[in-house]
Amino acid sequence: MKHKLFYIFFLLTLSISYAQSSMVKIEADTTNIRIGEQFEYKITISETENVIIPKLGNLKGLEVIDSLKIDTINSKLIKKYKLTGFDSGAFYIPRQQIFIKNQAYLTDSLLINVTTVAIDTTKIKKFPIKGIKGEPYQFDDFKIYVYWALAILLIAISTLYFALKRSDNSTSKTLIPKLAPYQEALRNLKLLDEKLLWQNNKTKAYYSELTDIVRNYIERELNVPALEQTTNELVESLIDFSNSKSIVTDKETIKKLKNLLQQSDLVKFAKSKPMAHEIEADRNTTTHIINNLKPSTTEENTETSYSKPVVIVQKPEIKNPNTITKLLLITVTLLIVTLISFGIYKAISLSNSIKQPVENVQ
């Protein structure tokens, strides 16, 4: 009876093992590899639905290089792995558990032999141990000095440029005696004649300066705001002063002044072009007006009796660098840049020549 039960149990176990082996199979393209050599490990499952393949694990001495995608061939699932080993010896790929329709199936284990590569040390040439070799200098070792040199160079050039462009900021004060109104008017008329404005077709500028000389003389000599008044206002003011005996003049002089100012207005605003003899006549009229417009002798005129000195502040002239100065600046700049570049080049060359490798240790 006991023998029958044993045979029945043995047959059941054998049938279960056969069923599992028929559902799940493993295969390797080789079971003997050298260190670092790859081989393919394949699991074949005779079912395509409701299959769960866990991650390949529990590998000792072996490593998974790649896990390929699952293929379906002839109603079978095929899962492939790329494995390798980096230690010599015999290593097992343990049994893997596969779930098919919520039922667990176990694969067979597989033995993989990893062998080393035989090396004949008697035929290998031995080399001495290499010494420590000095590392050559690179641009990064000097770039901070280059940046500082360029910054200093830029500051030096800027300072030199503005020093040449601007002179000393100090100002000087000079006391120059101020001319009397009559003397100033005659001097300005002489300077106007020397400019030859109307002779060079600058009639408008000529009449503008001519009437300004007359108005400035009247304002200083007679204390009349001639520069701010129109022609009619100025003429009326002079008539009033003449009637009140505040100035010494006659009606003919006032009439000539009115004609002169009106002629100037026509030239400046109506673009009138008087003839040469008319311009010369107006010039002579101006002298006549200045000679015949005087303050009353009973009225004190401080500007006529004497002239106070005027303080003239002389501003420093702005000196613009000429072409020679600019060329000199450019030459100096290029020279400094060349010297800096040459110094860096020599430093790198010297460092590379000095840093020799240490002698080989035998």
Side-chain angles (χ1 to χ4, degrees), residues 30-48:
T30 181
T31 57
N32 296 294
I33 63 170
R34 289 173 293 185
I35 290 179
E37 186 179 0
Q38 297 182 9
F39 68 96
E40 185 179 85
Y41 177 73
K42 181 171 64 174
I43 301 176
T44 304
I45 304 168
S46 300
E47 186 63 51
T48 59

Side-chain angles (χ1 to χ4, degrees), residues 64-218:
V64 178
I65 302 300
D66 192 12
S67 177
L68 304 179
K69 292 183 179 180
I70 299 175
D71 293 332
T72 303
I73 301 175
N74 297 328
S75 299
K76 294 182 180 181
L77 295 180
I78 299 176
K79 176 66 175 178
K80 295 180 181 180
Y81 299 91
K82 293 289 185 180
L83 304 179
T84 188
F86 296 101
D87 292 325
S88 60
F91 304 100
Y92 275 99
I93 299 177
R95 303 177 72 181
Q96 304 297 318
Q97 192 175 42
I98 310 297
F99 292 92
I100 303 174
K101 295 181 180 180
N102 297 327
Q103 184 176 352
Y105 292 86
L106 295 175
T107 64
D108 294 332
S109 59
L110 183 64
L111 179 64
I112 303 297
N113 294 311
V114 182
T115 59
T116 59
V117 179
I119 300 176
D120 189 358
T121 57
T122 60
K123 296 181 180 180
I124 296 177
K125 183 179 180 181
K126 295 181 180 180
F127 294 93
I129 299 174
K130 296 292 184 179
I132 300 174
K133 185 178 180 181
E135 183 180 356
Y137 285 113
Q138 303 294 330
F139 174 75
D140 291 341
D141 299 328
F142 297 95
K143 65 180 181 181
I144 185 64
Y145 303 104
V146 174
Y147 294 155
W148 274 106
L150 292 177
I152 294 173
L153 177 63
L154 181 61
I155 294 173
I157 293 175
S158 301
T159 304
L160 180 61
Y161 176 78
F162 286 107
L164 293 175
K165 186 176 180 181
R166 296 184 178 276
S167 62
D168 187 15
N169 291 329
S170 60
T171 58
S172 59
K173 296 181 179 180
T174 306
L175 294 177
I176 299 178
K178 192 175 182 181
L179 294 176
Y182 179 76
Q183 295 174 350
E184 184 183 39
L186 294 180
R187 186 198 65 178
N188 291 337
L189 286 175
K190 183 178 180 181
L191 294 176
L192 179 61
D193 293 337
E194 293 175 355
K195 291 181 181 179
L196 302 176
L197 293 178
W198 69 269
Q199 292 88 340
N200 293 302
N201 295 324
K202 296 181 180 179
T203 308
K204 182 178 179 180
Y206 177 80
Y207 271 92
S208 179
E209 290 193 27
L210 186 66
T211 53
D212 285 344
I213 292 172
V214 176
R215 287 177 178 271
N216 187 65
Y217 167 77
I218 295 173

Side-chain angles (χ1 to χ4, degrees), residues 254-269:
I254 295 176
K255 183 178 180 181
K256 288 184 177 182
L257 174 63
K258 181 178 180 180
N259 293 334
L260 175 64
L261 296 178
Q262 289 177 345
Q263 177 75 337
S264 176
D265 292 339
L266 291 174
V267 173
K268 290 189 291 184
F269 304 112

Side-chain angles (χ1 to χ4, degrees), residues 226-282:
L227 295 174
E228 301 174 1
Q229 292 180 337
T230 62
T231 299
N232 293 330
E233 291 174 348
L234 178 58
V235 171
E236 291 177 0
S237 297
L238 293 178
I239 292 174
D240 292 338
F241 279 111
S242 178
N243 294 333
S244 62
K245 305 299 181 180
S246 298
I247 61 174
V248 178
T249 186
D250 52 27
K251 294 182 180 180
E252 184 66 23
T253 301
I254 295 176
K255 183 178 180 181
K256 288 184 177 182
L257 174 63
K258 181 178 180 180
N259 293 334
L260 175 64
L261 296 178
Q262 289 177 345
Q263 177 75 337
S264 176
D265 292 339
L266 291 174
V267 173
K268 290 189 291 184
F269 304 112
K271 297 183 180 180
S272 176
K273 294 183 179 180
M275 303 298 290
H277 67 276
E278 294 177 337
I279 298 174
E280 293 177 353
D282 290 335

